[in-house]
Amino acid sequence: MTILYCAISLAVSSDPFLTIISQAIWAAARILLLVSATALFLELVPSFVLIDAFRTVWHRFGLKWRRVEDLFQLLDLVLRFFPMVMVEVKALMALEKSLSFAPPLSKEERIRKVAKQLPTLIVNCLHRAGQIGLAMEGRGYGTVLPRSVATPVHLTHRDGFVVVAMVTFLIGRLFIA
């Protein structure tokens, strides 16, 4: 991206070469900082806590929008589905090890072996997800809006201060820069 920016700027701009290079490096550094901070945040905060925090705020506002409620549910189920697949893969590897099959030596061989078993693993997980869906439907899930939050995140004054600071920063950035 930085090289493309420099090439286009050199072709169409009359700015000096060093100015273009410094602007490109500064832009790349900001993007790198943004991506790094986001990755660090997502690594430190478990995804289910993040979703519960958004759901808590949504529930406290008392909004009754079915699509948003369904989106929260979809995210929650997706975050539970992938670990379920990982458990199935680990169980498959443990089964093969207990049957004394030769373990694959390279990472590429392990990926191929799992890829051959992937359709079966996905069907098993979808079957389990279907059972969970039937149980949820039997318990009347989704008939009441807004849905409550099982483990609400308790927001403090510090959280409110952070939100106000972020909004102020974003508004200031939009109108000042």
Side-chain angles (χ1 to χ4, degrees), residues 9-29:
S9 293
L10 286 172
V12 298
S13 176
S14 62
D15 289 340
F17 178 73
L18 290 176
T19 304
I20 292 172
I21 295 294
S22 67
Q23 289 174 348
I25 291 173
W26 178 243

Side-chain angles (χ1 to χ4, degrees), residues 77 81 84 123-136:
L77 290 174
F81 181 75
M84 193 184 325
V123 167
N124 287 342
C125 290
L126 287 175
H127 177 70
R128 286 172 59 188
Q131 289 175 334
I132 292 170
L134 286 174
M136 290 169 64

Side-chain angles (χ1 to χ4, degrees), residues 34-51 54 79:
L34 178 70
V35 169
S36 299
T38 303
L40 179 67
F41 175 75
L42 292 175
E43 188 64 32
L44 293 175
V45 177
S47 53
F48 65 88
V49 171
L50 195 60
I51 290 175
F54 284 125
L79 290 173

Side-chain angles (χ1 to χ4, degrees), residues 28-95:
R30 287 190 293 182
I31 290 172
L32 181 65
L33 178 66
L34 178 70
V35 169
S36 299
T38 303
L40 179 67
F41 175 75
L42 292 175
E43 188 64 32
L44 293 175
V45 177
S47 53
F48 65 88
V49 171
L50 195 60
I51 290 175
D52 281 347
F54 284 125
R55 287 188 69 201
T56 300
V57 170
W58 183 259
H59 183 65
R60 287 197 181 144
F61 280 127
L63 300 173
K64 298 180 180 184
W65 297 350
R66 172 124 214 70
R67 290 187 188 262
V68 176
E69 294 285 343
D70 290 342
L71 177 68
F72 284 137
Q73 184 62 35
L74 175 69
L75 290 173
D76 197 29
L77 290 174
V78 165
L79 290 173
R80 291 174 192 221
F81 181 75
F82 286 117
M84 193 184 325
V85 173
M86 292 303 299
V87 166
E88 292 285 332
V89 168
K90 288 179 182 178
L92 177 67
M93 295 296 182
L95 175 68

